[in-house]
Amino acid sequence: MCSTCADLSITSALISDLSDYANTPDADPEFVEVAAYGLAVALYGAYEPAMYPPPGHGYPRSNR
């Protein structure tokens, strides 16, 4: 599996786990919101690698 596919697979699994957690009675809504935003950004990065990192920033793809 290529690294992009592996990242997409892991991100999808984390989104599923976060969804399960969000539906539990003791879920922390602030954590769910922050984690969901981070996973959405990660998912966007998997589909649009040319847009990440922003122009002028070398991290984390400076070695590619």
Side-chain angles (χ1 to χ4, degrees):
M1 178 182 302
C2 72
S3 63
T4 301
C5 294
D7 287 347
L8 182 58
S9 176
I10 292 168
T11 302
S12 297
L14 288 170
I15 290 170
S16 177
D17 290 345
L18 182 64
S19 175
D20 291 343
Y21 171 73
N23 291 318
T24 61
D26 296 331
D28 179 357
E30 185 177 0
F31 171 79
V32 172
E33 182 179 341
V34 170
Y37 179 77
L39 290 170
V41 169
L43 193 60
Y44 176 77
Y47 287 114
E48 295 290 338
M51 296 298 292
Y52 186 80
H57 297 272
Y59 178 81
R61 298 182 184 219
S62 60
N63 60 349
R64 294 186 183 178

